[in-house]
Amino acid sequence: MRCLIAKTSVRVMLEEATIIDLESSNYIVPTATITAEDYYRDANIKYYELQDIHGGLSDYDRAIELDPNHALAYSNRGNIKKDRLQDYHGSLADYDRALSLNPHDPVTYYNRALLKNIKQDYQGSLADYNRAIELCPDDADSYNNRAMLKYLELEDLVGAVEDMQTARSLYEQQGNDARSIQAIELIARFQSKIDSSGLQVDFLKTRSIEED
């Protein structure tokens, strides 16, 4: 079964009637009937569809107030704080809380990996990509991002090539020709760097001997 990570912009539960209600100035939901899930769904629509950052944030806050164990609300609130508010401390706290509630969510590991990369916690970012891939082994973007992390920050050129080759294969299988072509170009760049790096070539020889 295919397991594709739904990235931050995709985790939305759309209901046409709800969108119409939100856009109607005459529509009022009786306060007593609103649940944490209602606030969560409205927050998704406000933020991801209507680009209402503060409205989405406010509704995620209310969802969490009503249900302190709503893992998805924490995760998506973390996305707002990371992507739009640059509140990296708050975002990390939300991702950590979401994963404490649901440690099997590859989406939150993926997004926390992005955040840790921003914070220059490269080993932490690597660990989160590893976990996201473990939970969702056919997500091409996770392999792509882990390859770039290894190439740009961890000086693991061999690992970068291996991950980008996997990403390219997955993109091709999923019909994403543009990303597949981009991956091929990056693989060539990585291999060129290997060819020009005496240190990395020595590492390759050492690893080959050890594997033999």
Side-chain angles (χ1 to χ4, degrees), residues 18-204:
T18 305
I19 294 176
I20 294 172
D21 292 343
L22 284 170
E23 294 176 337
S24 170
S25 60
N26 296 322
Y27 182 81
I28 299 176
V29 179
T31 304
T33 67
I34 301 179
T35 66
E37 193 64 23
D38 292 328
Y39 277 112
Y40 169 72
R41 292 177 179 177
D42 286 353
N44 286 339
I45 294 167
K46 286 179 181 178
Y47 177 53
Y48 292 113
E49 295 302 307
L50 304 179
Q51 303 301 306
D52 179 0
I53 299 170
H54 295 290
L57 183 64
S58 177
D59 279 354
Y60 286 133
D61 288 344
R62 285 293 291 134
I64 289 167
E65 286 175 13
L66 291 172
D67 180 4
N69 296 319
H70 200 305
L72 293 180
Y74 281 106
S75 185
N76 281 9
R77 189 174 71 173
N79 294 338
I80 293 183
K81 292 177 179 179
K82 169 174 63 69
D83 298 333
R84 305 304 290 271
L85 301 179
Q86 288 74 56
D87 175 9
Y88 301 136
H89 179 76
S91 178
L92 181 60
D94 278 348
Y95 288 149
D96 288 348
R97 175 60 175 160
L99 289 171
S100 73
L101 293 167
N102 179 13
H104 304 291
D105 178 10
V107 180
T108 303
Y109 281 109
Y110 175 93
N111 288 319
R112 194 174 69 173
L114 293 174
L115 172 64
K116 289 183 177 180
N117 188 68
I118 293 171
K119 291 169 63 66
Q120 299 183 343
D121 176 8
Y122 302 125
Q123 290 299 329
S125 180
L126 177 65
D128 279 348
Y129 281 129
N130 291 345
R131 183 60 173 148
I133 288 169
E134 179 183 345
L135 291 168
C136 190
D138 59 357
D139 182 67
D141 287 346
S142 290
Y143 285 101
N144 179 90
N145 287 12
R146 191 173 71 174
M148 295 307 300
L149 176 66
K150 291 177 178 179
Y151 175 69
L152 294 172
E153 309 298 348
L154 302 179
E155 298 183 354
D156 179 6
L157 300 182
V158 176
V161 170
E162 292 172 348
D163 276 350
M164 195 59 73
Q165 287 174 334
T166 301
R168 184 210 60 77
S169 177
L170 289 169
Y171 284 134
E172 184 177 54
Q173 293 172 24
Q174 295 158 14
N176 193 335
D177 294 337
R179 294 302 299 273
S180 178
I181 292 171
Q182 182 183 56
I184 291 171
E185 294 171 350
L186 287 168
I187 290 167
R189 183 189 303 176
F190 298 168
Q191 290 177 330
S192 175
K193 186 71 175 291
I194 289 175
D195 293 340
S196 65
S197 172
L199 178 63
Q200 190 68 26
V201 169
D202 289 341
F203 167 72
L204 280 169

